[in-house]
Amino acid sequence: MTPDPIKTDARRARRARRFGPDAACARCGIATPETLVAVRRTILEAHHVCGRANDDGLTVPVCRNCHAILTEGQRAAGVDFARPPTILHQIAAALVSFFTFLHDLCERGMAWAGALTELIGELDAAFPTWRDLPSAGALGMAS
């Protein structure tokens, strides 16, 4: 079977129209339509940050793989997905679920910060004058 560039371009354009210009996973950031898998009628799934039984409205868009990872993290933290018997049980389950989600984001953020710090070291070694570039200056953020 030989590749058909016209069909490939048409398929890419169709996916771009279907998924929209800003479709991206909130956890991993994948935004390339060719790498994402459609779920029902969309590219992303809604992850219930506090668990659906605890707060049906608080969701973030994530790809199917990240959704599975986040849901498994909730289960590992002991989040019960059944309707809680009391408001106190509901709040406790929502908090455990929410902070499990934040913990995952913090771990990912720390990994990104570590990778960035490593890159800075490599830039210093390979291009010692990179810090003199105007765009390398610190942001002038008001306190």
Side-chain angles (χ1 to χ4, degrees):
M1 180 178 207
T2 57
D4 183 343
I6 294 173
K7 286 185 179 179
T8 299
D9 288 345
R11 187 174 50 254
R12 285 183 180 149
R14 200 170 41 251
R15 289 188 101 161
R17 280 191 311 274
R18 184 165 128 209
F19 297 147
D22 297 326
C25 177
R27 182 175 182 269
C28 69
I30 288 180
T32 309
E34 295 84 22
T35 63
L36 294 167
V37 177
V39 179
R40 291 182 211 117
R41 297 180 70 133
T42 182
I43 190 168
L44 302 168
E45 296 180 331
H47 174 66
H48 291 85
V49 175
C50 293
R52 184 185 310 232
N54 303 310
D55 187 339
D56 192 39
L58 182 57
T59 62
V60 294
V62 293
C63 70
R64 185 187 315 188
N65 290 336
C66 288
H67 195 190
I69 291 167
L70 291 169
T71 300
E72 184 54 35
Q74 289 172 310
R75 286 188 181 110
V79 174
D80 187 356
F81 293 114
R83 190 85 175 137
T86 70
I87 187 70
L88 295 178
H89 289 91
Q90 183 179 9
I91 293 169
L95 288 173
V96 169
S97 185
F98 180 72
F99 286 107
T100 298
F101 173 73
L102 289 182
H103 179 76
D104 178 81
L105 291 182
C106 288
E107 285 182 341
R108 295 190 61 77
M110 291 301 291
W112 294 340
L116 187 55
T117 300
E118 185 177 326
L119 176 59
I120 290 168
E122 291 172 0
L123 285 171
D124 285 340
F127 308 101
T129 61
W130 76 269
R131 292 173 184 252
D132 297 332
L133 296 170
S135 59
L139 295 176
M141 301 184 69
S143 49

